[in-house]
Each structure stands twice: as C-alpha cells, then as structure tokens.
Amino acid sequence: VLFRSDPNCMPAAPPTTEAVVVGEGSTLQNVFVYVKDGLGELKFPVPTEPVVLDQQGCHYVPHVFGIQVGQPLEIRNSDKTLHNIHAIAKSNQEFNTGQPIQGMKTTHIFTTKEVLLPFKCDVHGWMNSYAGVVDHPFYAVTGANGTFELKGLPPGTYTIEAVHEKLGAQTLSVTIGEKETKDVAFKIGRAH
C-alpha cells in the first residue's frame, strides 16, 4: 500500500526489508563489526573523504555502514521523489532533513560514538539504514558471504563486537600478535 502511494518508486523493486539477509551456509549480511575495547588512549586520524549514504530506487544504500566520529557523511538523493533523512540518534544530535529534488546532497558530521544509529525516511516507511559511528578505523560490515576483515589492528587484546539491527550483539575477546592474522566467528541468534 505504501509503495503504491509514490509513483516515483514504482519502477524500483517492491519495498523489501534488508533487516535479515541470509546467505549461503546461513551467513548473515549487514552485521556491523568493530573493536569495542582495547585500543586504550590511541588516537587515529579522521578521514576527510566522506562516507556516502544514497537514496536509490527508494532504498538507502548502503543498508549498514561505518563512519568515524568527525568524518563527513554525504547524504544524496538519486531518486526523482521527495525523501527525508531522519537520524534517530541517542548520543549524537538527532536530525531530520528533507531532500525534495533529485541530486540534492546534505553533509552531516557525528560528534560522538554510537552503534547502531538508525536512519529512516518518514515519507517511505520501508526505507531504513544503520550507521556504526566509532572513533577509530577498525570496523567492517559483513558482506553477502557473512565475512568481515579488520585490517591493520595493532598487537593487543581486544573486545570485538558484532551488532545486528534485529538479532542483537555478541562480543568476543581476541589477542593479536605482531603481523598475526586470526579468524573469528560470531554466532548471532534468531529474533524471537
């Protein structure tokens, strides 16, 4: 019903949820994985290159993404219809910005950590996205095969957390040595 209310969304695929996307072998896509603890007082440069959140085919792309505190978020409207970006922040400042014209861009910067920060479009109820806002570069989002990689992590013992929008969070402790690579696996349960 909502989908048919906007003829500009008709050429796009029907509204579907990206909340639980399961791949081959029961792998889970769109899980935000990051170092929750163990970096101590280490500081990391903030990228000046913006992370892009686009509105394409009446969906937010990407569905889940990571960004560092202070890094620009460029929000684009690639559709020929009105969208709005409503960030329902708890730790950061909430914002709700309309983008009525195709090609519009808005930039926002988050000032503190927040995992997972939800976005929604108040015009199209099926549109949502989630941001993992952290103060370091050690984060990833699982792909279609459920894998992730945290590159360049210095030697140490860390708490790694995997967070899913519907299925919750799980943490693991991992110790990494000099030039060492480790495989870790999370088992995230089903929603009840």
Side-chain angles (χ1 to χ4, degrees), residues 80-99:
K80 293 180 182 180
T81 191
L82 165 68
H83 288 303
N84 81 305
I85 307 91
H86 189 172
I88 308 163
K90 291 182 178 145
S91 301
N92 286 278
Q93 185 168 347
E94 182 172 343
F95 65 90
N96 191 348
T97 305
Q99 288 186 331

Side-chain angles (χ1 to χ4, degrees), residues 95-125:
F95 65 90
N96 191 348
T97 305
Q99 288 186 331
I101 301 168
Q102 184 178 29
M104 286 188 80
K105 296 177 184 176
T106 305
T107 301
H108 186 79
I109 295 178
F110 297 105
T111 57
T112 191
K113 300 182 289 186
E114 187 165 349
V115 176
L116 285 170
L117 188 154
F119 292 81
K120 69 176 186 170
C121 177
D122 295 321
V123 180
H124 306 102

Side-chain angles (χ1 to χ4, degrees), residues 98-186:
Q99 288 186 331
I101 301 168
Q102 184 178 29
M104 286 188 80
K105 296 177 184 176
T106 305
T107 301
H108 186 79
I109 295 178
F110 297 105
T111 57
T112 191
K113 300 182 289 186
E114 187 165 349
V115 176
L116 285 170
L117 188 154
F119 292 81
K120 69 176 186 170
C121 177
D122 295 321
V123 180
H124 306 102
W126 64 87
M127 288 179 63
N128 62 12
S129 184
Y130 294 85
V133 183
V134 294
D135 58 1
H136 57 75
F138 305 110
Y139 61 83
V141 177
T142 59
N145 62 359
T147 63
F148 67 93
E149 191 173 359
L150 301 177
K151 293 183 180 182
L153 199 55
T157 299
Y158 302 99
T159 301
I160 309 293
E161 184 170 57
V163 185
H164 186 270
E165 68 187 84
K166 296 282 187 210
L167 304 177
Q170 185 185 43
T171 58
L172 292 173
S173 180
V174 178
T175 300
I176 302 288
E178 191 73 39
K179 296 183 181 178
E180 185 178 12
T181 301
K182 285 204 174 165
D183 289 335
V184 295
F186 291 93

Side-chain angles (χ1 to χ4, degrees), residues 34-66:
Y34 72 107
V35 173
K36 185 174 185 174
D37 191 37
L39 292 168
E41 298 302 313
L42 292 175
K43 300 288 182 208
F44 301 93
V46 176
T48 55
E49 184 73 24
V51 170
V52 174
L53 177 61
D54 201 353
Q55 295 158 109
Q56 298 177 346
C58 294
H59 286 276
Y60 283 119
V61 178
H63 183 65
V64 177
F65 63 94

